[in-house]
Amino acid sequence: MNTVKEMDLKKDLLAGQTVAISGWIRTNRAQKEFGFLNINDGTTLQNLQVVYEESLENFSDVQKFRVGSSVEILGTLVLTPEMKQPYEIKATKVTLLGDSLENYPIQPKRHSREFLREVAHLRPRTNLFNAVFRLRSVAAFSIHKFFQEKGFIYFHAPLITGNDGEGAGEMFTVTTLPLDNPPRDEEGNIDYKKDFFAKKTNLTVTGQLEAEAYALAFRNVYTFGPTFRAENSNTQKHASEFWMIEPEMAFTDLEGNMQMAEDMVKYIVTDVLKQMPEEIDFFDQFVEKGLRSKLESLVASKFNRVTHKDAIQILKDSKVKFENKPEFGQDLATEHEKYLTEVHFKSPVFVTNWPKDIKAFYMRLNDDNETVAAVDLLVPGSGELIGGSQREERLDMLIKRMDEMGVPKEDLEWYLDLRRYGGCVHSGYGMGFERLLMYLSGVENIRDVIPFPRTPKHAEF
């Protein structure tokens, strides 16, 4: 007897042999003299059909086994090339391991994604979320493979920090002070010197600043971990806790930064297409029609490049009546990104040299004194996927920018030291992992690509 997993049946069909398999019942079609169990053991998207007959000693019990129950099957593997499924198991023994109550929420019918978020602890047992979170696992490992093959050092940025790397101020405070009566200083402000870390600390919004320190020792590093935003946003693309991929590269300018981003995206998409044909076909059929061709087109395409100024001019010249009028010096709206990628360029596009007033303090000021060496990667069907820049390596210019933008220097003296002691041209970018998963799967809501999503007023499980 071979104890097997469903995934192994595809690799090495054990036709005619006795096998044992454990899993959960997806459906139980009981008939008078026989029945069919659809079993999934979690190792593959596909279910395994198990045929049981009245010769089983507990046949009448098996007929009543409910959806969601865990079972162990002993039986013979039979090839069925004339059927919809290539093989099935003819059961000789069916053992109930864990019963499932009648009110099990995931019944064999179509459930809305809104409902399934309410039972997020059970939703991975559905086909959609089985595929989504299998994709999440494969894509995460693919990211690590890409950077490891290129000799990058994997760097763990701190989750608790005293600085605001983005300058947005929308951060979660970390404190052990009593919230009902916190200690106050002479001015009446909360006295963080009496807090656990003796200063005000927050959950990080980015690991970039710390990654820069390590890039200036190891040359090429990357972070891949959770980040947090206390932004009261309820859009389909925003979450309060999400994962970021942030490479940082010494001796690399903006052009090299863009090339690395392009190589990374193509590598991950290629790897996912190769490793997950069933899941991609599932997404293509049930989530986003044409997904596979979209992904294959991205791999085959050359990513275009356009300056922010030229992008705005393209939008103005298009004669399209946008809801948000494109303006020089202003950010791009979703409809603008859609036009650039899907109508004008018909490909992914890097938008470079952004107005300095709408970008972060650490981005390198260009010679025109109006723009910074920043870049956003826009992709068809998803919009912004990556944001990055060449970092400001000139100490005097960095201090000037921090003063202009009101960024306090006292907590960032260590960051300024990176320019004082052997600084060099360096660049990096950030990609939200969930944004990538939405692009790869066609799933349009970030809440459906995070196992247990955290959004404003929602922190269940």
Side-chain angles (χ1 to χ4, degrees), residues 113 117 123 129 132-133 136 233-243 432-439 441-456:
R113 295 183 203 173
R117 280 178 217 137
R123 68 178 179 170
F129 290 101
V132 164
F133 295 117
R136 188 177 177 110
S233 175
N234 290 282
T235 76
Q236 291 190 329
K237 291 186 176 182
H238 290 87
S240 305
E241 177 185 335
F242 55 98
W243 284 58
F433 185 43
E434 286 77 17
R435 293 277 181 97
L436 173 69
L437 295 173
M438 292 163 71
Y439 181 72
S441 65
V443 172
E444 59 279 324
N445 197 314
I446 194 170
R447 295 166 180 81
D448 296 327
V449 294
I450 302 178
F452 297 102
R454 272 74 180 98
T455 54

Side-chain angles (χ1 to χ4, degrees), residues 242-381:
F242 55 98
W243 284 58
M244 285 277 285
I245 300 102
E246 297 178 297
E248 201 68 35
M249 298 159 283
F251 312 112
T252 300
D253 61 10
L254 190 67
E255 187 60 39
N257 199 25
M258 288 189 283
Q259 191 58 56
M260 188 64 69
E262 180 172 343
D263 291 347
M264 182 198 72
V265 172
K266 287 182 175 179
Y267 180 99
I268 296 165
V269 173
T270 300
D271 200 37
V272 165
L273 284 169
K274 178 183 176 184
Q275 290 200 61
M276 312 193 74
E278 288 182 355
E279 286 78 5
I280 295 300
D281 285 344
F282 175 86
F283 294 136
D284 198 319
Q285 183 177 354
F286 296 107
V287 182
E288 180 186 331
K289 299 291 184 186
L291 176 76
R292 176 178 287 280
S293 62
K294 178 188 83 172
L295 298 177
E296 289 172 346
S297 295
L298 177 133
V299 172
S301 66
K302 171 63 181 168
F303 291 13
N304 279 285
R305 287 155 169 69
V306 65
T307 66
H308 179 273
K309 184 177 181 180
D310 288 345
I312 295 294
Q313 193 62 57
I314 289 168
L315 294 167
K316 284 179 172 293
D317 292 344
S318 71
K319 308 303 183 199
V320 174
K321 290 190 176 180
F322 294 108
E323 194 173 316
N324 301 279
K325 189 178 178 183
E327 297 287 357
F328 295 109
Q330 299 298 312
D331 208 349
L332 295 175
T334 300
E335 58 182 329
H336 303 152
E337 296 171 347
K338 190 177 180 71
Y339 179 84
L340 291 170
T341 56
E342 298 176 23
V343 179
H344 186 83
F345 289 104
K346 294 185 175 63
S347 76
V349 58
F350 286 109
V351 180
T352 64
N353 298 334
W354 285 69
K356 67 177 183 178
D357 294 336
I358 60 173
K359 288 295 182 180
F361 72 93
Y362 50 73
M363 298 183 176
R364 194 182 199 278
L365 189 66
N366 288 327
D367 293 341
D368 60 11
N369 284 317
E370 295 292 330
T371 61
V372 288
V375 61
D376 278 6
L377 173 62
L378 312 179
V379 293

Side-chain angles (χ1 to χ4, degrees), residues 99-143:
D99 194 8
S100 179
L101 300 180
E102 288 184 11
N103 61 352
Y104 177 59
I106 312 294
Q107 292 298 320
K109 63 178 183 178
R110 189 175 292 274
H111 296 285
S112 73
R113 295 183 203 173
E114 290 76 15
F115 166 74
L116 290 171
R117 280 178 217 137
E118 297 174 11
V119 288
H121 56 304
L122 299 173
R123 68 178 179 170
R125 302 187 194 185
T126 66
N127 288 337
L128 173 62
F129 290 101
N130 190 290
V132 164
F133 295 117
R134 198 177 301 282
L135 169 67
R136 188 177 177 110
S137 172
V138 169
F141 190 57
S142 181
I143 287 162

Side-chain angles (χ1 to χ4, degrees), residues 120-185:
H121 56 304
L122 299 173
R123 68 178 179 170
R125 302 187 194 185
T126 66
N127 288 337
L128 173 62
F129 290 101
N130 190 290
V132 164
F133 295 117
R134 198 177 301 282
L135 169 67
R136 188 177 177 110
S137 172
V138 169
F141 190 57
S142 181
I143 287 162
H144 283 295
K145 281 194 298 185
F146 172 78
F147 287 116
Q148 292 293 324
E149 287 172 10
K150 289 193 173 293
F152 279 62
I153 295 295
Y154 180 31
F155 163 70
H156 293 153
L159 299 186
I160 299 174
T161 178
N163 62 66
D164 180 356
E166 293 297 323
E170 294 164 332
M171 305 179 75
F172 291 102
T173 300
V174 175
T175 183
T176 58
L177 294 176
L179 297 181
D180 54 346
N181 187 26
R184 305 277 178 178
D185 59 20

Side-chain angles (χ1 to χ4, degrees), residues 47-85:
N47 297 327
L48 176 65
Q49 180 164 285
V50 176
V51 182
Y52 62 92
E53 299 176 340
E54 62 179 345
S55 55
L56 287 180
E57 61 180 55
N58 62 339
F59 175 72
S60 59
D61 292 331
V62 176
Q63 286 181 305
K64 300 169 188 171
F65 285 178
R66 289 184 285 253
V67 173
S69 300
S70 60
V71 292
E72 182 181 56
I73 309 293
L74 191 67
T76 306
L77 189 72
V78 180
L79 298 183
T80 55
E82 73 285 355
M83 302 290 198
K84 190 166 65 173
Q85 71 282 352

Side-chain angles (χ1 to χ4, degrees), residues 6 23-24 26 38-48 130:
E6 284 184 51
W24 294 271
R26 289 288 184 86
N38 253 334
I39 302 294
N40 190 286
D41 74 349
T43 63
T44 174
L45 180 63
Q46 298 300 320
N47 297 327
L48 176 65
N130 190 290

